[in-house]
Amino acid sequence: MSDTIISVTGLTKAFSRGAKAVNDVTLAVERGETLGIVGESGSGKSTLLRMILRLIRPTAGTVAIDGRDVWGASGSDLKGVRRGMQAIFQDPASSFNPRQSIGAILAAPLEVHSIGDKAARIRMIGEALERVGLPAATVTRFPHQLSGGQRQRVAIARAVIMKPAVVLADEPTSALDVSVQAQVLKLFSEIKRDLNLTSVFVSHNLAVIRQVSDRVAVMRLGEIIELDTADRIFASPRNDYTRALIDALPDPFRHFHSFKKPETGP
Ligand code: ADP
Ligand code: MG
């Protein structure tokens, strides 16, 4: 039985000059699923994600999350929309207030949405840090005292502490060293499985997309040109452009059978 959590219909963005950054995109994401969106730089991935996140106003089209109209919502419905979707961006340093401790950064969304009393918030922050593999003492640290990988773990903690319906990630590992990138991807996959998260994961990197996605949408020039299960996209892409992207991967990633997804449990 299908249980659609994210529903995007005819979503379009025309910035004032140039071609449409996103052109008539329609897609659905089911509960517990990770949809990967891949495409070259400038193909419209971030614009699409930001329209879903209510950060860039669409020229046309609709977005619904868990049955709520994201752009039509107001009042308490809008609060529900905001609470239900959390974002992880490429560079958490720019979305963290450098003067706030990690404890304050993690407490902020709980305070905004009046979740729990002080004791409950402290407990939730401790649990969230543990979940992302950071020591409890991290609460007293400041963003600049952490490594890029640690900051991205805090960004993941901040997203999941809200128990959101969906997590939307835009190139969350693209600024990290390759070894750190692998650790953060593994963490993301584990948390997604443990919390049965529904997510959209944007990356220009097809190898990264392969690792986290159940289904994959390939974007080109603002349009989705192919959308299928990750297994089928990698084993037998129907689109020449998708095939060219796969052929451009470094050798260990190219051949479907030699690049297994990490174990994702039953
Ligand atoms: P991606 O995330 O795939 O790299 P973007 O969504 O950032 O792509 O950009 C898609 C297209 O929209 C690009 O041509 C980009 O130059 C253009 N674009 C993005 N943001 C703006 C903006 N604020 N104003 C004008 N054009 C923009
Ligand atoms: Mg982008």
Side-chain angles (χ1 to χ4, degrees), residues 56-123:
I56 293 180
R57 182 180 291 278
T59 308
T62 61
V63 181
I65 303 225
D66 227 352
R68 284 194 179 99
D69 177 356
V70 167
W71 282 96
S74 59
S76 65
D77 238 20
L78 179 54
K79 254 196 139 174
V81 163
R82 292 224 162 96
R83 181 176 168 169
M85 58 183 182
Q86 296 295 318
I88 303 170
F89 294 108
Q90 178 168 346
D91 176 19
S94 65
S95 57
F96 292 163
N97 180 342
R99 295 171 185 282
Q100 276 190 326
S101 68
I102 302 306
I105 286 168
L106 293 175
L110 300 173
E111 285 162 4
V112 165
H113 291 278
S114 310
I115 297 168
D117 57 14
K118 186 145 192 243
R121 285 174 195 156
I122 289 171
R123 180 176 46 73

Side-chain angles (χ1 to χ4, degrees), residues 87-102 105-106 128-129 132-135 138 141-159 172-173 175-177 180 183-184 187:
I88 303 170
F89 294 108
Q90 178 168 346
D91 176 19
S94 65
S95 57
F96 292 163
N97 180 342
R99 295 171 185 282
Q100 276 190 326
S101 68
I102 302 306
I105 286 168
L106 293 175
L129 285 172
V132 299
L134 291 174
T138 309
R141 311 287 257 164
F142 286 81
H144 72 271
Q145 296 176 305
L146 303 182
S147 69
Q150 288 169 329
R151 278 200 294 265
Q152 221 36 321
R153 286 174 190 267
V154 172
I156 294 172
R158 183 174 62 172
T173 62
L176 303 175
D177 293 342
V180 178
Q183 292 163 12
V184 173
L187 174 69

Side-chain angles (χ1 to χ4, degrees), residues 45-46 170-171 202:
K45 306 180 298 296
S46 293
D170 192 356
E171 307 269 7
V202 162

